[in-house]
Amino acid sequence: WNILDYHLYLLSNEKGRDEHTRKNSMYIFDGEECTIRSYKELFDDEVLAPFNVGDDPQIVFNILPIIDQDASKCHAGYILGFNFVDKTMYARYFDWIPHIEDLGFVWNDGWNMYEVHIYDLLDILEDCFDLKKFFPGEGILSKGHCCRSKKSDDPGMELVMTILFCQWIVDAADPLFAPAYLRIGNLKELTTGYERQCRLVLQRASARAWHCIRDGWIPEDLARSLTLNAWTNDLYTYVDSMYAENEIPWPAPGLTTSAELREQYIETRKAETSAEVRFERLFNKAEDD
């Protein structure tokens, strides 16, 4: 199919990372050393004070590998972080994903491909989901002018980044933003709502794709089928997923279920292309002639 299921990609990234783990897995990078800090420590103003972490501290909270169809080439990736001085979230690109502890040695080898302020991100999400100015399939971050490169990632990857940005805002809101944002509860509620909508888009696109696989459809079949053309479009644009009624259940598969469906699909395709089936088709064709 040559389609990356970003819903499963996100599940894989979040595996074993519940709220408590995330809140206690934030690293502070001072330009030389990258040190993990507990959630409780982040409430202490001195932790991020210049005399402790320099004039340009970074908070690093996630790593995203860039998936290529050739697994042997999957070395590049992003470090997701937050510039505490500029108040900017970013996805910093590296040709080789570094270990967090070694970030000081390779920091200058990377560059921020995506950058966005918190309230700018919320404005972009409002334009997308509330005002319908553009579709998620156009690339939320690219369409919001957050990408600093002419070549952006897949829309699904940008949705994953957006979800993780939103998730981090909520996780870090109380210790890092409460003094600056008087209505911190509204910030968390609004961000959580947009995060949920982004997740639903990925889940619905994933569900559509796996329904096709479960039913034995292959891309060539879909291309020839006008009735399923909307499904094909949705895998790439997410338009139908965006506007689907919220009351309709969209059970996207988990990692285990998808592995079982994938194996089932492979076995079905093997059976359909076996020597016996090919011989039978050839025999039937000869009779028709």
Side-chain angles (χ1 to χ4, degrees), residues 163 166-167 170 190-200:
I163 289 168
C166 288
Q167 186 182 70
V170 176
L190 184 62
T191 305
T192 299
Y194 285 132
E195 178 191 340
R196 177 179 177 274
Q197 291 190 67
C198 289
R199 287 182 183 274
L200 284 175

Side-chain angles (χ1 to χ4, degrees), residues 24-157:
N24 289 277
S25 301
M26 299 184 202
Y27 287 79
I28 296 179
F29 176 58
D30 62 6
E32 295 181 0
E33 296 182 349
C34 204
T35 308
I36 193 169
R37 293 289 187 173
S38 69
Y39 184 68
K40 184 178 180 180
E41 287 179 292
L42 296 178
F43 284 91
D44 185 350
D45 293 338
E46 292 189 358
V47 169
L48 286 163
F51 61 82
N52 267 333
V53 291
D55 297 326
D56 192 28
Q58 313 289 323
I59 299 175
V60 176
F61 55 88
N62 212 318
I63 297 176
L64 291 178
I66 297 174
I67 305 301
D68 192 277
Q69 291 182 12
D70 183 353
S72 64
K73 297 180 180 179
C74 296
H75 305 302
Y78 293 102
I79 296 287
L80 301 189
F82 177 73
N83 186 308
F84 188 71
V85 176
D86 295 340
K87 308 302 181 188
T88 302
M89 296 177 295
Y90 56 80
R92 191 172 184 86
Y93 174 85
F94 291 89
D95 288 327
W96 289 80
I97 300 177
H99 292 290
I100 292 294
E101 293 80 4
D102 299 331
L103 203 54
F105 298 104
V106 297
W107 182 258
N108 291 330
D109 295 335
W111 60 283
N112 293 354
M113 184 164 173
Y114 298 91
E115 290 182 344
V116 62
H117 289 275
I118 291 175
Y119 277 117
D120 287 343
L121 177 62
L122 296 180
D123 287 342
I124 293 167
L125 291 170
E126 180 185 20
D127 286 344
C128 179
F129 290 104
D130 298 335
L131 303 180
K132 310 294 192 296
K133 291 184 178 180
F134 66 92
F135 300 123
E138 297 178 71
I140 285 182
L141 298 177
S142 299
K143 198 68 177 178
H145 306 291
C146 304
C147 184
R148 299 177 60 191
S149 171
K150 293 182 179 179
K151 182 180 179 181
S152 58
D153 288 277
D154 291 342
M157 185 64 157

Side-chain angles (χ1 to χ4, degrees), residues 233-257:
N233 290 340
D234 192 59
L235 296 177
Y236 296 96
T237 67
Y238 305 103
V239 174
D240 290 343
S241 294
M242 178 179 173
Y243 290 125
E245 295 294 333
N246 289 330
E247 291 77 12
I248 300 176
W250 290 84
L255 295 174
T256 302
T257 303

